[in-house]
Amino acid sequence: MAHTAANATAETQATPLLDRLFEAGLLIRTGVDGLYGRSGTFERIVEGVDRLVTRIGRDDGAEAIRFPPGMSQSAFVRSGYLKSFPHLAGTVHSFCGCDADHAALLRCLETGEDWTANQAATEIVLTPAACYPLYPVAAERGRLPADGLLFDLQSYCFRHEPSLEPTRMQMFRMREYVRMGTPEQVIAFRQTWLERGTAMMRDFDLPLAVDPANDPFFGRAGRMLANNQRVQGLKFELNVPINSVEKPTACLSFNYHQDHFGTTWGIEQADGSVAHTACVGFGLERITLALLHRHGLDPAAWPGVVREPLEL
Ligand code: ATP
Ligand code: ZN
C-alpha cells in the first residue's frame, strides 16, 4: 500500500526525539547517554538564545564572568553539594603514580581489569551549576555595595544523570544571572526575570507553564528539603512539553537561596548582615530543543518571529 503523507508524519512522530535529532545531524552520538556532539546548526540556535538573554538583561549592568567547566574541589565541598546531591556530582581523577604504577595500569588495560581503581582525586570537580564557582569569588571581595551585586555567567555543567531523553544531558550549558544583596533586592530580581523569561519564551510561541519546583535532593532527608523548598516558594521552573505532555521539561529556573550561600561563604550585605542570593538559570540546550521540537528540525523553516530575535 502506498504511503500517504499523513502516515509518514505519524511514523516520524513515533520515532523518539533523540533519534530524530541524531538522524537530522543536530546531535552527534558518542556512545554515552546524555553526552553528545552538537552540529553547527544546533550551536547557532544556542548562541542566538545566549545573545538574546544578553540583550534582555543589557541595561542591568551585570558583571560578566566565564569560569571553565571545572571548579575547586574544596569550594565544591564547602558549598554543600555533596550533602544534597551526591548522586549527581562528577569528580576529576588522574593518574598520579610512578613507573611501577604505570606498569600495573598497563596490565589492567591488557587483561581488561578495572584500571580506574588507582586513579587519585585531583583538586578539580566538574561544575554542577554555573553559579557554584561564583560565591567564593564574591565573598573574597568583601562586603557588598549598598545596591548589591549582579553577575552574568555561562558554563558547561555536569550532572551524572544518564538518560535517553535529549533534554536530560550529562554535560550541558547553563546561562545564569545571579543577584546578591538584601532580601528585597534579590526577590525583586527574581520577579523581574520570571516576567522577562516568560515573555521571551512566549514570544517563541512555546506552550509553557510556570510552576513551583524543587531540586532533586538525595535520599529520605532530601524529601523533606524538597518539600520545604516548594512550601516556601523558593524555586519556580518554566516548563515546556518536549519529551511528553504529561512531564514537561524545565527550561528556565528561578531560585531564591535565602541566606544559604551568604552564610556558607560569609557574603555580607553593606550593613554587615548576611547577604541573600538568587539566580535565574537558562538551560541553553533545553531551550534549543524546545524550539526544534515545536517548530521543526530545520530552523531555516521556522517562523520569522522566532528566527529574527535569534538572528538565524
Ligand atoms: P530538573 O528538575 O529537570 O532535573 P533542575 O531543577 O535540577 O532540572 P536547575 O538545577 O534549576 O535544574 O538547573 C537550571 C537549568 O539548567 C534548568 O532550568 C534546565 O533548563 C537546565 N538543566 C538542568 N539539568 C539539565 C540537564 N540534565 N540537561 C540539560 N539541561 C539541564
Ligand atoms: Zn544558580
Side-chain angles (χ1 to χ4, degrees):
M1 198 173 90
H3 264 78
T4 64
N7 272 345
T9 308
E11 269 166 33
T12 316
Q13 294 309 321
T15 309
L17 178 60
L18 182 59
D19 291 324
R20 291 197 286 129
L21 292 160
F22 287 148
E23 277 159 29
L26 288 158
L27 292 182
I28 294 112
R29 284 189 175 89
T30 68
V32 179
D33 293 341
L35 185 72
Y36 309 119
R38 282 95 166 128
S39 74
T41 302
F42 191 96
E43 285 302 287
R44 273 192 294 281
I45 306 168
V46 166
E47 286 160 16
V49 174
D50 196 34
R51 274 195 307 268
L52 177 58
V53 170
T54 301
R55 276 207 303 282
I56 295 171
R58 176 177 52 199
D59 295 333
D60 299 348
E63 176 183 343
I65 304 183
R66 296 293 178 263
F67 292 102
M71 64 178 286
S72 135
Q73 189 208 128
S74 63
F76 180 76
V77 170
R78 184 163 163 189
S79 75
Y81 196 82
L82 291 168
K83 283 188 199 149
S84 298
F85 315 107
H87 55 306
L88 300 176
T91 50
V92 177
H93 284 60
S94 203
F95 172 79
C96 305
C98 60
D99 279 336
D101 298 320
H102 186 214
L105 169 67
L106 294 177
R107 271 197 306 280
C108 285
L109 292 179
E110 237 160 68
T111 57
E113 277 169 74
D114 177 18
W115 62 272
T116 61
N118 289 318
Q119 297 283 104
T122 67
E123 60 275 64
I124 296 175
V125 300
L126 298 176
T127 302
C131 61
Y132 270 70
L134 175 67
Y135 302 105
V137 170
E140 270 294 304
R141 292 190 183 172
R143 283 190 182 174
L144 300 180
D147 51 359
L149 289 177
L150 176 66
F151 295 94
D152 157 344
L153 306 175
Q154 199 238 86
S155 179
Y156 255 104
C157 299
F158 173 86
R159 294 183 186 179
H160 187 231
E161 45 184 4
S163 167
L164 286 175
E165 288 178 353
T167 50
R168 192 166 296 284
M169 297 182 173
Q170 297 202 60
M171 295 188 125
F172 58 93
R173 273 157 295 178
M174 209 186 277
R175 173 73 192 271
E176 286 200 43
Y177 285 105
V178 183
R179 185 83 167 97
M180 307 179 180
T182 65
E184 295 73 28
Q185 286 166 343
V186 310
I187 288 168
F189 157 86
R190 189 176 70 154
Q191 186 57 33
T192 299
W193 275 106
L194 244 165
E195 289 160 18
R196 289 175 176 175
T198 305
M200 179 186 99
M201 296 293 273
R202 200 162 274 147
D203 288 348
F204 286 146
D205 192 28
L206 293 168
L208 60 86
V210 175
D211 301 308
N214 60 266
D215 287 311
F217 293 102
F218 184 75
R220 202 181 312 163
R223 244 175 281 155
M224 220 172 64
L225 292 171
N227 197 40
N228 284 347
Q229 202 180 19
R230 276 178 181 266
V231 169
Q232 293 185 62
L234 299 180
K235 185 180 182 86
F236 290 92
E237 288 177 341
L238 186 150
N239 290 306
V240 180
I242 303 175
N243 304 296
S244 76
V245 179
E246 302 79 46
K247 221 178 101 240
T249 298
C251 292
L252 279 67
S253 318
F254 312 90
N255 307 295
Y256 176 29
H257 315 120
Q258 298 172 301
D259 65 353
H260 171 73
F261 289 114
T263 302
T264 301
W265 291 106
I267 307 170
E268 292 177 351
Q269 295 181 40
D271 68 1
S273 57
V274 183
H276 282 229
T277 63
C279 66
V280 49
F282 297 79
L284 294 179
E285 282 82 2
R286 284 191 179 176
I287 297 169
T288 300
L289 291 167
L291 290 165
L292 289 165
H293 176 258
R294 172 79 171 152
H295 298 296
L297 300 190
D298 176 13
W302 290 357
V305 288
V306 179
R307 277 187 290 118
E308 273 150 31
L310 296 173
E311 298 169 281
L312 287 174

